[in-house]
Amino acid sequence: MPSSPIERSCGLQQPDSLQQQQQQLSQDFDPVHRFKMLIPQLKESLQNLMKIASLNLAHNTAIDNGIESSDSTVQRFDKSLEEFYALCDQVELCLRLAYECLSQCLDSAKHSPNLVPTATKPDTVQTESMSYAQYLGMIKSQISCAKDIHNALLECSKKIAGKGQPQGIM
């Protein structure tokens, strides 16, 4: 089964091993999939952190009560805390990336909601798609907007460059 829209529209089939590799790569870059993979690791890291904290607390209590000497070794709390924080940072990055992807998807749907039909048969034209003339009009307005932004930035840079020069040179 083709995995991308281009492959589906062209009817291209790929060998199963190559398709599985591409699917694995897309899952590795998918922030939601990565987030789902990190949650069990985060849970395990938190459990380990709490276990080490309780062992250290019990050890320090025993030292304070004079039952044990401070020579015995326990696992380091700071290392497990650092591991936990590193996983939390990865989870945060995955969530931020997922949010950005969602924002871009929503913006894309907002600014270009309908596609141009690519079907050659008149009976397969979709009702929600826009005509080619409408598509061209939308693209021209986007180009015009980009030119306006470019010109505004160019004027600002000229004004900034003009303020940096000494007054007598102009």
Side-chain angles (χ1 to χ4, degrees):
M1 179 175 199
S3 59
S4 73
I6 295 172
E7 291 171 354
R8 276 184 250 135
S9 66
C10 297
L12 297 175
Q13 294 286 335
Q14 292 184 349
D16 287 338
S17 63
L18 181 61
Q19 191 174 11
Q20 288 173 351
Q21 288 174 351
Q22 287 179 342
Q23 186 178 13
Q24 181 65 32
L25 281 175
S26 68
Q27 286 178 349
D28 289 344
F29 293 117
D30 181 21
V32 175
H33 180 72
R34 179 91 172 116
F35 172 77
K36 288 178 181 179
M37 289 176 46
L38 285 173
I39 292 299
Q41 293 175 11
L42 187 66
K43 181 180 176 184
E44 182 182 323
S45 177
L46 181 61
Q47 289 172 344
N48 187 37
L49 179 68
M50 292 297 127
K51 183 180 90 173
I52 291 172
S54 70
L55 289 174
N56 281 343
L57 183 63
H59 177 71
N60 288 339
T61 303
I63 290 173
D64 290 345
N65 291 336
I67 301 171
E68 282 185 31
S69 67
S70 61
D71 295 340
S72 60
T73 60
V74 290
Q75 289 181 315
R76 291 186 52 176
F77 179 75
D78 58 341
K79 294 285 184 182
S80 59
L81 184 64
E82 187 70 30
E83 177 188 336
F84 177 74
Y85 279 147
L87 285 170
C88 285
D89 289 342
Q90 289 179 24
V91 166
E92 180 185 7
L93 288 174
C94 288
L95 291 176
R96 284 184 184 197
L97 181 59
Y99 178 76
E100 287 296 320
C101 289
L102 177 64
S103 296
Q104 285 183 359
C105 181
L106 292 175
D107 287 342
S108 176
K110 177 182 171 185
H111 297 294
S112 181
N114 300 320
L115 299 174
V116 176
T118 57
T120 56
K121 298 179 184 176
D123 59 338
T124 59
V125 175
Q126 300 145 347
T127 58
E128 68 268 359
S129 62
M130 64 174 64
S131 69
Y132 189 69
Q134 291 171 324
Y135 177 75
L136 283 178
M138 182 186 66
I139 295 299
K140 286 178 182 177
S141 69
Q142 289 176 348
I143 290 172
S144 172
C145 181
K147 284 181 180 178
D148 291 344
I149 292 171
H150 178 266
N151 290 338
L153 289 173
L154 196 58
E155 286 179 33
C156 286
S157 68
K158 287 179 181 178
K159 287 180 183 178
I160 291 172
K163 289 182 181 179
Q165 294 176 353
Q167 295 294 334
I169 294 177
M170 290 172 117

